Amino acid sequence: MGPAYRRNAWTHVTGWGMLLSATAAVGSALWGVSPYPPLLTEAGLAALAVLFAAAWIVASRRTRRPTGLPSAAGGGLRWLVAWLVPLATMACFDLGFMVSPEYGRETARLEAARFARYSVTVVRLAGDPVRGANASDEPVYFETDLVLRLPYDDGPREVTVPGMYTRHDPPKAGASIDVFYAPGDARPDSPVLEDGRRWGTGVLGTRLLLFTLFPVVFAGAILTGVLKHEMTGGVRRFTPSAHLPALGILLLGLLLLLPTALGLDPAGLARPAAFLSCVTPGAALAWLWRHSF
């Protein structure tokens, strides 16, 4: 096994490492390995992809014969590129809706303190019940400020909760009502909520993922068919004028995502930068395609 063979094998290893690390970073961002910033796992995998890309460039330049990314045996490489580009675009778009680090830390704190639905006792009414303006075919409901007794781990507390809703009849002292709170949270201002949803900026979750999944499936299917018939060897072989600008475009997209991923937003530009990064995967593929023939 001569030096030329080893250099060529190293080129293939680094090429696959770059693609698989990038795929893992995109997958982690989409399916929430870290649900709140800082997204250290995702950022680490993206950095690993950059290191593999640099190693692939060095290994490709050192081989004696033209080489590049691994061969497309079985269509594996074409399939990976066809789906990675739209998935990366989707990940950039979804990260633009990432919640703030403060929201993430607060959520993690409440989850650790067993934030859930509990039945608690109404101590007294803190205001007169107000009957809601409902349609004739809807149940009657009342909105009332209530003083509730909540059994926290450090002892029971009486907490005033404004605007609690009850159906059919106004609430009474001694009755039970369901609320969401964290019994293990010792802070006096620990949230007590009626429906358990703590909406913050950009908290769209699964619905956003499902909404953006449809165009990804469409784009991936189209690219798979196009690349199957049109992907040339020039795309796979390392060419500085084609691959270096494409890698630069991808690196720019990564840099645009870092403020959101790491929870850094000193100038309020992290969200617009994340949305701007959506164009970089497609732009890199377009550049590579245009300059590889």
Side-chain angles (χ1 to χ4, degrees):
M1 186 179 297
Y5 179 86
R6 288 194 296 270
R7 286 195 297 267
N8 189 59
W10 177 241
T11 303
H12 284 219
V13 169
T14 54
W16 274 118
M18 172 182 63
L19 290 172
L20 294 179
S21 298
T23 304
V26 170
S28 298
L30 287 173
W31 284 281
V33 171
S34 303
Y36 313 114
L39 306 182
L40 298 180
T41 300
E42 292 81 350
L45 287 169
L48 185 62
V50 173
L51 292 177
F52 270 120
W56 173 66
I57 292 172
V58 172
S60 298
R61 298 300 293 171
R62 288 175 62 86
T63 54
R64 294 182 178 179
R65 62 183 181 84
T67 187
L69 291 173
S71 65
L77 177 61
R78 283 190 288 262
W79 187 91
L80 183 60
V81 172
W83 287 96
L84 183 58
V85 169
L87 283 173
T89 303
M90 175 185 177
C92 295
F93 180 77
D94 288 355
L95 285 177
F97 292 96
M98 177 63 66
V99 299
S100 67
E102 291 76 16
Y103 183 93
R105 285 191 289 267
E106 172 71 0
T107 301
R109 183 186 299 113
L110 291 175
E111 289 175 349
R114 308 188 308 281
F115 184 79
R117 182 178 181 177
Y118 301 93
S119 182
V120 299
T121 303
V122 177
V123 178
R124 61 182 178 276
L125 277 62
D128 296 330
V130 177
R131 179 169 174 163
N134 59 304
S136 59
D137 59 343
E138 295 179 352
V140 175
Y141 71 90
F142 292 86
E143 183 179 357
T144 317
D145 297 344
L146 299 177
V147 178
L148 307 177
R149 180 178 291 112
L150 305 179
Y152 282 87
D153 291 353
D154 58 357
R157 304 181 206 167
E158 292 188 1
V159 178
T160 300
V161 182
M164 295 290 294
Y165 285 89
T166 54
R167 289 190 174 188
H168 305 298
D169 298 304
K172 297 179 181 179
S176 295
I177 194 168
D178 291 337
V179 295
F180 287 80
Y181 80 105
D185 191 358
R187 297 173 300 166
D189 60 344
S190 182
V192 179
L193 305 174
E194 187 170 28
D195 60 7
R197 292 177 296 177
R198 296 179 48 254
W199 294 112
T201 303
V203 183
L204 299 180
T206 305
R207 281 177 288 183
L208 175 65
L209 186 62
L210 292 176
F211 174 76
T212 53
L213 189 61
F214 291 106
V216 167
V217 172
F218 178 77
I222 294 296
L223 279 176
T224 300
V226 171
L227 295 181
K228 181 179 180 180
H229 299 286
E230 301 292 339
M231 191 172 186
T232 66
V235 174
R236 297 190 298 270
R237 290 190 298 270
F238 174 72
T239 305
S241 61
H243 288 87
L244 289 181
L247 291 173
I249 294 172
L250 293 176
L251 183 59
L252 173 62
L254 177 61
L255 293 176
L256 290 172
L257 284 175
L258 281 182
T260 297
L262 299 180
L264 305 174
D265 193 12
L269 298 177
R271 199 173 301 276
F275 287 129
L276 183 60
S277 69
C278 292
V279 304
T280 57
L285 180 61
W287 175 276
L288 187 61
W289 193 264
R290 174 66 178 82
H291 293 271
S292 293
F293 286 99

